[in-house]
Amino acid sequence: MNKPHLLCLKLLLINAFVCTQAADNPTPLEWTTTQDHQNMMEQLGITELRPGRNGWAQAGEPNAANYDESQANPYPDLPELLVTLDGSPVATAHAWRTIRRPELIAAFESEVYGRIPQNVPEVDWRIEHSYENLTVDSIPAIAQRLAGVVDNSAYPEIDVSIDATLVLPQKMDKPAPVLIMFGWKPLEFPDDATTAFTLDGTPSRFNEDPPSFSQLIAAGWGIVYLIPTSYQADNGAGLTRGIIGLVNKGQPRQPDDWGALRAWGWGASRCLDYLETRPEVNVRQVGIEGVSRYGKAALVTHAFDERFAVGFIASSGAGGVALHRRNFGESTENLASSGAYHWFAGNYIKYATEKSRFGRMTPDNLPVDSHQLIALCAPRPTFVSYGIPENGDALWLDQQGSYMATVAASPAFALLGAQGLGETKDYRTAPLPPVNQDLLDGELAWRQHDGGHESQSNMKHFLRWAEKKMR
């Protein structure tokens, strides 16, 4: 072969290699939330969604959120909890484990929260800084800033790292239980690791309760303060970045891909992986906690990862404990809008559809509801917490619908040898218990405190209950 032909062959090979590399490593899309939401609607064949409810509008105004309990249950019949897809009753723990639980997992993954892909890369945990001159409410403690660096060798265009801080009492006579808490922003530490300082929290505005960190450390617990937005943004524009974007190589999701709630739960599970390497931690007593959207994430985490010993689910509202089928405050239509759809699998949008190639769908078409998600936590202790609207835990969260779901989940706990809520009435008629009344006898627990949109006011009750139940 002469030299010109050799040169052409080399150029062809180089071009083929470059094209292959480009196909394997496409440039991450820089879409807006609106563009990503529209793309998912096009994938699903949806041309019109029903608008979300307006929580600020007065009754009678256009599309005002409903707060009339007499109109709150347009779909009063929930999907069966202890009946399999073929209509067989689930009467044994074995049938729950081998048939019903897998059915529910599959439905929630396909239609609500999405599937975690098989090819999610490994996480390498590193201690970035250690702080040993620390007190938490005058109790000596140590803190370590952790970084969970995700292997991005398959797609170097996106870097992902999990930001978490481990705080432990300095004096322990045995491995400590630990509560992984979804946090809103990283903890602040002094630049000098040798400087003595106090890790302060915010006292409750409603009572004399100390900050949650203080209550936990005083009770001999450790804390992992996990920042979920460090590895997956809380918006639709971030779905081509973070851990979801890394796995998808910067490209859009498919309709059953995981959303942010599932991704945040994945990060909590990786924290639990790390805690399994720490001898100071009792890995059989690790819990998960979150408030508001992170309450949703905590419930999803607890339901899917059975290694978590206990869940503290605070003020989670729609998409968390509250029933999807309710028409009270925040609705499925709100969750399917461009402001919240990224929390869920793309398929969830279908249930707010007015016009599409498959017709109209409502929340009643959902194959599952939140009572079944709570049931996936059974028989492990699960504490459902709310505050009161007068102090900021708005009616928008639907405390009544959340109580109904908790009541409806109780039979699964009983089937598995645990104690449910203890409510004797059916979920359709069970009234919301009085504020500050303890329903803490069972592994499934409920308490509505007189504080606001926070978990701090229920922390002391949770700790007493959890230590009893985890024994």
Side-chain angles (χ1 to χ4, degrees), residues 323-338:
L323 291 168
H324 297 269
R325 281 167 169 76
R326 288 267 289 178
N327 174 29
F328 194 97
E330 190 172 22
S331 65
T332 294
E333 287 78 9
N334 291 99
L335 299 178
S337 73
S338 60

Side-chain angles (χ1 to χ4, degrees), residues 125-146:
W125 284 97
R126 306 167 187 174
I127 298 174
E128 299 283 286
H129 299 286
S130 291
Y131 304 91
E132 297 186 359
N133 295 308
L134 166 67
T135 61
V136 177
D137 198 15
S138 76
I139 300 172
I142 61 170
Q144 293 177 335
R145 189 72 174 269
L146 307 174

Side-chain angles (χ1 to χ4, degrees), residues 349-418:
I349 297 175
K350 294 185 300 186
Y351 302 99
T353 296
E354 189 64 23
K355 296 178 182 178
S356 73
R357 65 187 179 203
F358 52 81
R360 184 177 187 270
M361 277 193 175
T362 72
D364 199 37
N365 296 115
L366 261 173
V368 287
D369 214 315
S370 58
H371 66 301
Q372 295 165 317
L373 185 69
I374 300 167
L376 292 177
C377 302
R380 293 163 294 138
T382 305
F383 187 110
V384 179
S385 169
Y386 276 92
I388 57 174
E390 296 87 339
N391 284 330
D393 217 33
L395 279 174
W396 180 253
L397 298 171
D398 191 11
Q399 291 86 351
Q400 174 64 45
S402 299
Y403 185 68
M404 293 168 67
T406 309
V407 171
S410 288
F413 284 78
L415 178 70
L416 299 176

Side-chain angles (χ1 to χ4, degrees), residues 145 163-165 181-189 202 213 225-230 294:
R145 189 72 174 269
D163 183 345
T165 301
M181 306 177 73
F182 286 116
W184 299 94
K185 61 181 181 179
L187 298 177
E188 295 183 0
F189 293 96
T202 303
F213 275 26
Y225 197 66
L226 171 64
I227 309 301
T229 52
S230 66
Y294 295 153

Side-chain angles (χ1 to χ4, degrees), residues 35-307:
Q35 288 174 311
D36 187 86
H37 188 261
Q38 181 61 35
N39 173 266
M40 185 55 67
M41 288 181 60
E42 290 170 0
Q43 287 190 59
L44 295 168
I46 297 171
T47 54
E48 182 182 342
L49 293 176
R50 293 184 296 279
R53 307 288 193 268
N54 183 351
W56 300 104
Q58 299 297 313
E61 293 182 5
N63 211 40
N66 174 58
Y67 295 113
D68 180 352
E69 191 59 40
S70 69
Q71 301 179 37
N73 297 297
Y75 316 111
D77 298 325
L78 298 179
E80 293 284 359
L81 176 60
L82 298 180
V83 177
T84 65
L85 292 178
D86 68 4
S88 302
V90 179
T92 66
H94 179 73
W96 172 265
R97 278 272 171 213
T98 59
I99 303 174
R100 190 57 178 149
R101 179 179 166 84
E103 287 179 347
L104 293 174
I105 289 284
F108 276 112
E109 287 190 325
S110 172
E111 302 303 304
V112 186
Y113 300 110
R115 296 187 177 92
I116 296 179
Q118 294 293 320
N119 61 331
V120 181
E122 297 295 318
V123 177
D124 177 31
W125 284 97
R126 306 167 187 174
I127 298 174
E128 299 283 286
H129 299 286
S130 291
Y131 304 91
E132 297 186 359
N133 295 308
L134 166 67
T135 61
V136 177
D137 198 15
S138 76
I139 300 172
I142 61 170
Q144 293 177 335
R145 189 72 174 269
L146 307 174
V149 180
V150 182
D151 178 8
N152 68 342
S153 57
Y155 189 67
E157 284 76 6
I158 293 178
D159 295 319
V160 180
S161 183
I162 302 170
D163 183 345
T165 301
L166 173 63
V167 184
L168 292 167
Q170 277 196 15
K171 297 178 180 179
M172 297 185 296
D173 55 8
K174 60 182 179 180
V178 169
L179 190 63
I180 298 177
M181 306 177 73
F182 286 116
W184 299 94
K185 61 181 181 179
L187 298 177
E188 295 183 0
F189 293 96
D191 294 333
D192 182 1
T194 64
T195 302
F197 70 105
T198 298
L199 188 61
D200 289 320
T202 303
S204 173
R205 294 188 294 116
F206 310 106
N207 50 46
E208 300 301 320
D209 294 323
S212 290
F213 275 26
S214 300
Q215 295 185 57
L216 285 157
I217 293 295
W221 284 58
I223 303 130
V224 170
Y225 197 66
L226 171 64
I227 309 301
T229 52
S230 66
Y231 54 92
Q232 187 58 54
D234 187 13
N235 55 62
L239 290 171
T240 55
R241 299 283 179 168
I243 188 60
I244 295 175
L246 175 60
V247 175
N248 288 339
K249 295 189 173 181
Q251 304 308 297
R253 296 185 301 165
Q254 296 300 306
D256 63 351
D257 278 353
W258 49 342
L261 295 177
R262 200 77 203 278
W264 295 339
W266 167 86
S269 293
R270 302 294 72 77
C271 286
L272 181 51
D273 293 344
Y274 173 73
L275 293 178
E276 289 175 343
T277 70
R278 297 293 298 257
E280 314 98 306
V281 173
N282 184 342
V283 295
R284 302 184 78 173
Q285 293 186 339
V286 175
I288 183 71
E289 181 269 358
V291 179
S292 195
R293 65 197 61 190
Y294 295 153
K296 307 181 205 296
L299 178 58
V300 170
T301 305
H302 192 39
F304 280 93
D305 190 339
E306 294 183 276
R307 296 177 300 162

